[in-house]
Amino acid sequence: DVAHGQYLVADVIQNQIAPSQNVVTEGDDAVIHVRLNDAFQKVRRRSQRGLFPHVAYTTLLKRAEEEKGEIRSISIVTDYFDTSKVRTIDREFTDLSRIVADDLRRQLKVDFPNAEVSIDNDNNETTVTSYTRLAKAKKIAVCGASTFCPFPVMSVEDDVLGFIYDSKHLNGFYPQ
């Protein structure tokens, strides 16, 4: 049963994986996963790929502020921009990905002037570290059009808002 399995996954992420990541201490107020690189590839069939407009992230974070208080730190979690670290099929999109991520960071800094906004995808950032960032969000965790982030976002603490993109095309792995 998927519902019961989610509790097991949440427990493992919160109590085993997250404590093992010393680069993530207390967590950011808001953590956003943005699928880039292959999101720019041409799609010939129904797909879970896609990017939200920047205003969508701002709207979600503003809602979190209304419910949880001022957002003072925002982490954007995404894939590397270094062509030597990404899959071969993603290499041609690393420059465009950097531009989109930098623009999102700039816009969030405008919309949340008191927040520190970071893009967390350097050499110290592993899949486990990214999962931990999402799971340790203090006010809101956002999972866009991606199969990477639903489980860590489902694993946030009970008093944290979690947003997962709902799409009938997302993936056969996540039943509707």
Side-chain angles (χ1 to χ4, degrees), residues 135-161:
K136 293 304 236 177
K138 291 192 259 182
K139 296 182 180 179
I140 184 171
V142 179
C143 177
S146 176
T147 55
F148 175 82
C149 50
F151 285 118
V153 170
M154 287 189 286
S155 302
V156 297
E157 297 291 341
D158 290 341
D159 62 338
V160 175
L161 299 174

Side-chain angles (χ1 to χ4, degrees), residues 2-69:
V2 173
H4 296 294
Q6 187 275 324
Y7 289 111
L8 175 63
V9 170
D11 181 68
V12 168
I13 289 174
Q14 283 292 343
N15 298 312
Q16 294 179 30
I17 294 173
S20 73
Q21 298 303 297
N22 60 4
V23 295
V24 180
T25 53
E26 297 181 25
D28 291 290
D29 287 343
V31 182
I32 299 168
H33 175 263
V34 181
R35 181 176 183 167
L36 295 171
N37 289 337
D38 71 344
F40 298 110
Q41 292 177 5
K42 186 175 180 177
V43 178
R44 299 187 192 285
R45 60 179 169 75
R46 294 180 195 166
S47 174
Q48 76 277 9
R49 294 186 204 150
L51 298 173
F52 294 164
H54 295 348
V55 69
Y57 296 110
T58 296
T59 301
L60 290 168
L61 272 57
K62 290 287 185 188
R63 178 176 170 210
E65 272 194 328
E66 289 172 8
E67 294 184 30
K68 306 291 182 184

Side-chain angles (χ1 to χ4, degrees), residues 41-118:
Q41 292 177 5
K42 186 175 180 177
V43 178
R44 299 187 192 285
R45 60 179 169 75
R46 294 180 195 166
S47 174
Q48 76 277 9
R49 294 186 204 150
L51 298 173
F52 294 164
H54 295 348
V55 69
Y57 296 110
T58 296
T59 301
L60 290 168
L61 272 57
K62 290 287 185 188
R63 178 176 170 210
E65 272 194 328
E66 289 172 8
E67 294 184 30
K68 306 291 182 184
E70 183 180 31
I71 291 179
R72 310 252 331 147
S73 59
I74 302 168
S75 171
I76 300 168
V77 175
T78 192
D79 202 357
Y80 299 111
F81 302 139
D82 180 346
T83 56
S84 69
K85 302 231 183 262
V86 299
R87 299 177 303 180
T88 304
I89 62 171
D90 295 336
R91 289 185 180 145
E92 69 180 287
F93 303 106
T94 55
D95 288 337
L96 181 57
S97 295
R98 181 188 317 272
I99 291 167
V100 170
D102 284 341
D103 192 57
L104 176 59
R105 176 178 45 195
R106 181 201 53 76
Q107 186 60 51
L108 291 172
K109 190 64 184 158
V110 168
D111 295 336
F112 300 90
N114 295 329
E116 179 182 326
V117 183
S118 61

